[in-house]
Amino acid sequence: MAPPSHCHATNGGGAPQHNGANAVDAPVTRSARLLDAEEFRRHGHLVIDFIADYYAGLGEYPVHPSVSPGFLRHHLPLEPPPRREPDVFDAALQDVRSVILPGLTHWQSPRHFAHFPASSSTVGALGEALAAGINVVPFTWASSPAATELEMVVVDWLGKALHLPESLLFAGGGGGTILGTTCEAILSALVAARDRKLAVIGEDRIGDLVVYCSDQTHFAFCKAARIAGIRREHCREIPTYRDDTFALSPTELQAAMQRDVDAGLVPLFLCATIGTTQTTAVDPVGELCAVAAPHGAWVHVDAAYAGSALVCPEFRGVIAGVEAADSFSMNAHKWLLANNDCCVMWVRTPSALVAALGTEQEYILKDAAAKGVVDYKDWGMTLTRRFRALKVWLVLRCYGVEGLREHVRSHVRMAAAFEGMVRADARFEVVTPRRFALVCFRLRSPKNYRFAGGEKSANELNRRLLEEVNAASSGPYMSSGKVGGVYMLRCAVGSTLTEERHVREAWKVVQGRATSILRKMEIIM
Amino acid sequence: MAPPSHCHATNGGGAPQHNGANAVDAPVTRSARLLDAEEFRRHGHLVIDFIADYYAGLGEYPVHPSVSPGFLRHHLPLEPPPRREPDVFDAALQDVRSVILPGLTHWQSPRHFAHFPASSSTVGALGEALAAGINVVPFTWASSPAATELEMVVVDWLGKALHLPESLLFAGGGGGTILGTTCEAILSALVAARDRKLAVIGEDRIGDLVVYCSDQTHFAFCKAARIAGIRREHCREIPTYRDDTFALSPTELQAAMQRDVDAGLVPLFLCATIGTTQTTAVDPVGELCAVAAPHGAWVHVDAAYAGSALVCPEFRGVIAGVEAADSFSMNAHKWLLANNDCCVMWVRTPSALVAALGTEQEYILKDAAAKGVVDYKDWGMTLTRRFRALKVWLVLRCYGVEGLREHVRSHVRMAAAFEGMVRADARFEVVTPRRFALVCFRLRSPKNYRFAGGEKSANELNRRLLEEVNAASSGPYMSSGKVGGVYMLRCAVGSTLTEERHVREAWKVVQGRATSILRKMEIIM
């Protein structure tokens, strides 16, 4: 790959000399030109066309670039450009096109099936652009009143659209906030729970606190617990089993909590997941809450991926009993068209959050509460915040709840179609029943055939299959998982641009590569 | 204010009925239309023109809206729109213009002098738009190679531009990452320091750890310490004094650390600030590091605001001795034209960060390190990340180091001019000498005049002055601070659109209001 044509690469490295005195005498209108409305308009239209062209041409890119570590950094100059060159913006866009785009993994490709989606939409992307342009910092109500109030409105709107219980909405005494990531949501809830508990048992007992999850819970949870000062060995990852579709067992949770209580420890927090990363397993929230309640443990529901599906009434059942949960979060940037980043968290008792994360005197908080508004800096870890509510509001306003349902259902239908294709080919098996839009599948264990070695060989075979599937530059990009010792391929349908033909083509590639691998191994199926 | 004309406001509240079976039979091309290239182009151009018009008309808005809590939320429908209406995007933009913009605090107004800036630039805003459109999630190198490598390059570029020591750069064995906020940076560094210390003294001694800062340090630090499980009473906010320009005294720090050691506690972490929020005080980093070193305490330098000024060689002196610091962070979204959010953090020993925040097995980390790349998810708290490097790269690429210097200097010159105007009016005093682009000033204590009551009355007088200054709808918007019992006005020059005339006009408003207040109080100066 050719290095980008940065004029400054020819800079001899000599730092420009400045004369403080002269600088002070220079005219003072320079700054304004950095945000000149007409220059913004001209360059902005270039950027919009650039993005539109990118979307139109996404099918041309391999989803995942075949590059080696260092391919880009070793080709960029070591020093930043010393000064502005003429027409530099156009040249920079050209660099993005020729140097940066070819080295990206294209999450918006219709053939991206590897990760849960980071779904783009016209409205989501432009909502981000609009918020970036307006560029306010709504950390308190006063620091941008409309931004705070819009956030309060849209979290209730979204909560209703997702069929969340009223107790989690402002309308029902709870409330929500828009953060960047689930990591932040979990950490915020955990710190609120921790401080509420320590206020009762004493701050010196932090070392006795225990948190719970399943072995399918995203690693973000144990990481959050470590950040919050929970001892590493006090994060209980309770084993799950294929027979239970890898859901967390209330019986096992009860046993684990009791063991800890018997050992003089204090159950603090349970992270239940709706739609785990590996297989979209659904933990039984209601039953788990019933187990946690006698221990006074906080229950957080992490629906990072599958939360978006709750917009469809047919999925309401997966959160049965969520009324008893203390907090709930989902990533609207994953499957709800609200471009990265956008995690929405709701809590049943905002006062617990504010007690842990608030930075004001009690009377100021009461004052804000009396006025019916909030200072969102006290609801999360960060003071600086982006105007994410604008994007969420635009997505809901423009697509409507029905539009979001159609979006989710289209992916669910496509995943169902893919699942059907897998089932129709006797060489393959579906590892766990599809629930949302992820299909976990693999070539069947070849132990009944000439190839021997059992599960280990089956894993090796499927590892090779994934490698070859992903090596096809115009083919799909999938990922893998390993549950209960079983290595499997993951086909996550969710890119906004994915259509049924992409799914069919992806399956053809999988079949073709499987045939070729099995043939090479002289396995006649 | 009239409620927005949402068609859905007329929705009777009956949730639309869905038939799961029919939904499955519907055609599967719907999703694609949510990201149609031509629709994106059409709507994108509307958004660009919207933002350009906003910039062009920013002078017309009062910086801070005169609205009451509930003004917006009580006028929006309680339910989200059920479905997409024709031409809804245009209607939504119209709502932004007529309902949302008038309720915002306009951080980009040339008359916004209240907070440290959230500086917009054409390139920063469009960098955000471009990243939102491309919408990749670079949490590991593999998840978007070019995004990770560009980040590695630009943090070194920026570190060099800011005259940071090589030990903090990848080029010197350290390294940097781009996070959202200083809160995240401080917490990440603190957790790294905590785990490094606990690995030595034992995990059960978390309750003995003590962190240090000054009483001028941003509250984000003590909040981060609480999040990390440090006891509330173990956050030492060491008093500062006007005679020391509110800088943290190494002698006082030494005494505080020694007291804690004598009490059996363990000094863990010092947060030194370059440019405090209230008065832009500069803590003497080198001397403070020398105090912390014998205790093995981690020193983080928070240069959230003033870090941008380091792009000018004439400011290098303020970080003298920074070579000995463990980590350093600054907000490029504050004063370096890289729209919200964009906090860059550098650390001297990335391995400490990864040991605390990493989620991989040791061999995977070694593998990545051997290849000379990093997985940035292990450098911060969040897994999901935005492609912020694109924006930082574009800002450096397009404006060049020299352009950034001119930008910072123009604000410094304007603030110096404002300071000069304050000093030229005998009724006023500059409370602390201006160092960057913030002027802290007030009406002199009126105790020598007919008005009596000493400092308390002086504070009341200045509180009233600020209120009246901010009440002028076409006037400047300033804020206040209180240091050493002294209430003062803060005029922070930093909006990209601010020109010298805005500063002059702002001063005229201050003078005018002061004259009127003093006259009303029958004080003849």
Side-chain angles (χ1 to χ4, degrees):
Chain A
M1 178 179 304
S5 55
H6 293 193
C7 311
H8 71 275
T10 59
N11 175 38
Q17 299 304 308
H18 295 284
N19 181 316
N22 283 356
V24 172
D25 294 338
V28 189
T29 51
R30 165 85 200 176
S31 252
R33 277 191 283 150
L34 299 168
L35 198 59
D36 177 76
E38 293 318 309
E39 185 176 271
F40 180 88
R41 203 185 299 272
R42 203 164 55 247
H43 290 167
H45 288 311
L46 291 178
V47 165
I48 292 301
D49 286 338
F50 183 99
I51 301 172
D53 293 347
Y54 175 64
Y55 290 149
L58 256 175
E60 311 299 311
Y61 289 98
V63 187
H64 189 68
S66 71
V67 294
S68 303
F71 77 100
L72 180 65
R73 63 188 298 234
H74 296 326
H75 284 85
L76 285 175
L78 291 171
E79 305 291 327
R83 63 187 64 77
R84 188 170 188 167
E85 305 291 342
D87 300 324
V88 67
F89 192 77
D90 307 66
L93 275 186
Q94 185 49 43
D95 282 352
V96 177
R97 199 184 321 263
S98 62
V99 182
I100 295 172
L101 286 186
L104 293 177
T105 300
H106 299 282
W107 286 64
Q108 302 316 314
S109 166
R111 294 177 284 107
H112 185 289
F113 300 102
H115 305 293
F116 287 145
S119 67
S120 274
S121 66
T122 294
V123 174
L126 295 177
E128 275 287 330
L130 199 52
I134 294 172
N135 207 29
V136 296
V137 191
F139 57 86
T140 56
W141 178 85
S143 72
S144 255
T148 294
E149 299 205 11
L150 193 65
E151 186 163 340
M152 295 179 76
V153 168
V154 296
V155 292
D156 265 20
W157 277 15
L158 185 59
K160 287 176 184 179
L162 300 183
H163 304 95
L164 295 187
E166 192 150 77
S167 55
L168 289 171
L169 312 182
F170 282 110
T177 182
I178 311 180
L179 309 169
T181 66
T182 296
C183 301
E184 291 169 69
I186 293 176
L187 181 58
S188 299
L190 188 53
V191 169
R194 185 199 65 191
D195 284 6
R196 191 175 69 174
K197 185 67 87 179
L198 291 179
V200 176
I201 64 174
E203 217 180 348
D204 56 333
R205 293 197 63 196
I206 188 172
D208 293 339
L209 300 176
V210 186
V211 301
Y212 304 83
C213 60
S214 89
D215 60 4
Q216 296 302 308
T217 304
H218 196 283
F219 64 70
F221 175 61
C222 285
K223 177 167 168 174
R226 277 158 46 201
I227 291 173
I230 307 300
R231 295 171 76 110
R232 274 168 194 261
E233 69 270 28
H234 284 184
C235 187
R236 308 263 175 268
E237 298 181 81
I238 297 168
T240 58
Y241 305 97
R242 191 168 173 181
D243 289 349
D244 297 334
T245 63
F246 301 104
L248 175 56
S249 148
T251 316
E252 300 259 3
L253 176 69
Q254 165 60 22
M257 285 188 165
Q258 194 54 53
R259 269 194 305 275
D260 287 324
V261 170
D262 293 345
L265 302 176
V266 181
L268 171 68
F269 195 95
L270 164 69
C271 182
T273 308
I274 303 297
T276 60
T277 304
Q278 293 216 94
T279 65
T280 67
V282 170
D283 294 337
V285 173
E287 294 169 65
L288 294 169
C289 285
V291 170
H295 298 286
W298 182 296
V299 179
H300 179 80
V301 178
D302 169 10
Y305 161 68
S308 300
L310 296 173
V311 77
C312 305
E314 62 268 30
F315 283 112
R316 284 182 69 170
V318 301
I319 51 165
V322 74
E323 296 76 17
D326 295 281
S327 49
F328 183 101
S329 62
M330 58 81 63
N331 287 345
H333 66 240
K334 274 203 164 59
W335 198 13
L336 215 61
L337 302 168
N339 295 45
N340 189 10
D341 54 5
C342 190
C343 172
V344 188
M345 173 177 69
W346 294 265
V347 292
R348 213 172 38 166
T349 49
S351 60
L353 211 55
V354 175
L357 300 168
T359 54
E360 299 298 346
Q361 306 301 323
E362 190 65 16
Y363 71 91
I364 297 185
L365 297 176
K366 282 196 181 136
D367 189 46
K371 289 175 178 158
V373 294
V374 302
D375 285 339
Y376 271 122
K377 73 176 173 53
D378 297 328
W379 286 54
M381 312 158 25
T382 70
L383 176 69
T384 293
R385 313 174 79 246
R386 298 190 303 119
F387 187 9
R388 296 187 184 95
L390 184 61
K391 170 177 66 176
V392 179
W393 173 77
L394 279 169
V395 165
L396 285 165
R397 174 99 168 80
C398 293
Y399 295 138
V401 175
E402 192 53 39
L404 298 176
R405 284 179 184 153
E406 286 171 23
H407 164 68
V408 165
R409 285 179 181 143
S410 76
H411 288 143
V412 171
R413 280 194 303 269
M414 287 187 263
F418 187 87
E419 185 188 30
M421 294 181 245
V422 175
R423 289 194 192 279
D425 185 329
R427 301 173 300 174
F428 288 86
E429 66 173 329
V430 171
V431 177
T432 56
R434 180 200 52 77
R435 224 186 237 271
F436 303 102
L438 170 73
V439 182
C440 298
F441 69 102
R442 64 170 193 163
L443 272 167
R444 280 182 193 281
S445 164
K447 65 186 168 195
N448 300 329
Y449 304 94
R450 260 194 273 167
F451 184 86
E455 208 58 79
K456 199 173 159 200
S457 299
N459 287 351
E460 209 35 68
L461 178 69
N462 282 286
R463 210 184 300 273
R464 189 164 152 198
L465 175 61
L466 178 64
E467 210 169 274
E468 298 214 3
V469 166
N470 285 347
S473 74
S474 63
Y477 183 55
M478 296 187 183
S479 64
S480 65
K482 198 171 178 183
V483 284
V486 170
Y487 180 97
M488 62 195 183
L489 280 73
R490 293 171 73 256
C491 175
V493 180
S495 171
T496 311
L497 293 171
T498 300
E499 297 175 33
E500 202 169 301
R501 65 189 169 95
H502 300 109
V503 173
R504 285 190 205 287
E505 286 161 14
W507 175 242
K508 272 187 199 139
V509 171
V510 173
Q511 277 186 313
R513 300 291 157 138
T515 300
S516 139
I517 289 172
L518 293 172
R519 226 174 245 156
K520 275 186 211 149
M521 298 170 90
E522 299 181 73
I523 296 170
I524 297 142
M525 299 299 279
Chain B
M1 180 179 301
S5 56
H6 294 192
C7 309
H8 71 278
T10 60
N11 174 37
Q17 298 305 307
H18 296 286
N19 182 316
N22 284 356
V24 172
D25 295 338
V28 190
T29 50
R30 165 85 200 176
S31 253
R33 276 191 282 152
L34 299 168
L35 199 58
D36 176 76
E38 293 318 309
E39 184 176 271
F40 179 88
R41 203 184 300 272
R42 204 164 54 247
H43 290 168
H45 289 311
L46 290 178
V47 166
I48 292 300
D49 286 337
F50 183 99
I51 301 172
D53 293 346
Y54 175 64
Y55 290 149
L58 257 175
E60 310 300 309
Y61 289 98
V63 187
H64 188 68
S66 70
V67 294
S68 303
F71 78 99
L72 180 65
R73 65 187 297 236
H74 293 148
H75 285 83
L76 285 174
L78 290 171
E79 305 291 327
R83 63 187 62 80
R84 187 170 189 167
E85 306 291 343
D87 301 323
V88 66
F89 192 78
D90 307 65
L93 275 186
Q94 186 48 44
D95 281 352
V96 177
R97 197 182 324 262
S98 62
V99 182
I100 296 172
L101 286 187
L104 294 176
T105 300
H106 299 281
W107 286 64
Q108 302 317 315
S109 166
R111 293 177 283 109
H112 185 289
F113 300 102
H115 305 293
F116 286 146
S119 67
S120 276
S121 67
T122 294
V123 174
L126 295 177
E128 275 287 330
L130 199 53
I134 294 171
N135 207 28
V136 297
V137 191
F139 56 87
T140 56
W141 179 84
S143 72
S144 255
T148 295
E149 299 205 11
L150 193 65
E151 185 163 340
M152 295 178 76
V153 169
V154 296
V155 293
D156 265 21
W157 278 14
L158 185 59
K160 288 176 182 178
L162 300 182
H163 304 94
L164 295 187
E166 192 151 74
S167 55
L168 289 171
L169 311 183
F170 282 110
T177 183
I178 310 180
L179 309 169
T181 65
T182 296
C183 301
E184 292 170 68
I186 293 175
L187 180 59
S188 300
L190 188 53
V191 169
R194 185 199 64 191
D195 285 6
R196 190 174 71 174
K197 184 67 89 180
L198 291 178
V200 177
I201 64 173
E203 216 179 347
D204 56 334
R205 292 196 63 196
I206 188 171
D208 293 339
L209 300 176
V210 186
V211 301
Y212 304 83
C213 61
S214 89
D215 60 3
Q216 297 300 309
T217 305
H218 196 282
F219 63 70
F221 175 61
C222 284
K223 177 168 169 173
R226 277 160 43 200
I227 291 173
I230 306 300
R231 294 172 76 111
R232 274 170 195 261
E233 69 269 28
H234 284 183
C235 187
R236 307 265 175 266
E237 298 180 82
I238 297 168
T240 58
Y241 305 96
R242 192 168 174 181
D243 289 349
D244 297 334
T245 63
F246 301 103
L248 176 57
S249 149
T251 315
E252 299 259 3
L253 176 69
Q254 165 61 22
M257 285 188 166
Q258 194 54 53
R259 268 195 304 276
D260 287 324
V261 170
D262 293 345
L265 302 177
V266 180
L268 171 67
F269 195 96
L270 165 69
C271 183
T273 307
I274 302 296
T276 59
T277 303
Q278 293 215 95
T279 64
T280 69
V282 171
D283 293 337
V285 174
E287 294 168 66
L288 294 169
C289 286
V291 169
H295 297 287
W298 183 297
V299 180
H300 179 81
V301 178
D302 168 11
Y305 160 68
S308 299
L310 296 172
V311 76
C312 305
E314 62 268 29
F315 283 112
R316 284 182 70 170
V318 300
I319 52 165
V322 73
E323 297 75 19
D326 295 282
S327 49
F328 183 100
S329 62
M330 57 80 64
N331 288 346
H333 66 240
K334 274 202 162 62
W335 199 12
L336 216 62
L337 301 169
N339 296 44
N340 188 12
D341 54 5
C342 189
C343 171
V344 189
M345 172 175 71
W346 294 264
V347 292
R348 211 170 42 165
T349 50
S351 61
L353 211 53
V354 174
L357 300 169
T359 54
E360 299 297 345
Q361 306 300 325
E362 189 65 16
Y363 72 91
I364 297 185
L365 298 176
K366 281 194 179 138
D367 190 46
K371 288 176 180 159
V373 293
V374 302
D375 286 339
Y376 271 124
K377 72 176 172 53
D378 298 328
W379 286 54
M381 312 159 24
T382 70
L383 176 69
T384 293
R385 312 174 79 246
R386 298 190 304 120
F387 186 10
R388 297 188 184 95
L390 184 61
K391 169 177 66 176
V392 178
W393 174 76
L394 278 170
V395 165
L396 285 165
R397 173 101 169 79
C398 293
Y399 296 137
V401 175
E402 191 53 40
L404 299 177
R405 284 178 184 153
E406 286 170 24
H407 165 67
V408 165
R409 285 178 181 144
S410 76
H411 289 143
V412 171
R413 280 195 302 270
M414 287 187 262
F418 187 88
E419 185 188 29
M421 294 182 245
V422 175
R423 289 193 193 281
D425 186 330
R427 300 171 301 175
F428 288 87
E429 66 174 329
V430 172
V431 176
T432 56
R434 180 202 52 78
R435 223 186 238 273
F436 303 103
L438 170 73
V439 182
C440 298
F441 68 101
R442 66 170 192 163
L443 272 168
R444 282 181 193 281
S445 166
K447 65 186 166 196
N448 299 329
Y449 304 93
R450 258 194 273 166
F451 184 85
E455 207 59 80
K456 200 173 158 200
S457 299
N459 288 352
E460 209 36 66
L461 177 68
N462 281 286
R463 207 182 303 272
R464 189 164 152 197
L465 174 62
L466 177 64
E467 211 169 275
E468 298 215 2
V469 165
N470 285 348
S473 74
S474 63
Y477 184 54
M478 297 188 183
S479 64
S480 65
K482 198 170 178 184
V483 285
V486 170
Y487 180 97
M488 63 196 183
L489 280 71
R490 292 171 72 257
C491 175
V493 180
S495 171
T496 311
L497 293 170
T498 300
E499 298 176 34
E500 204 169 298
R501 64 189 170 95
H502 300 109
V503 174
R504 284 190 207 287
E505 285 161 14
W507 175 242
K508 270 186 201 142
V509 171
V510 173
Q511 277 188 313
R513 300 292 158 140
T515 300
S516 139
I517 290 172
L518 293 172
R519 226 175 244 157
K520 274 188 211 149
M521 297 169 90
E522 299 182 74
I523 297 170
I524 296 140
M525 300 299 278

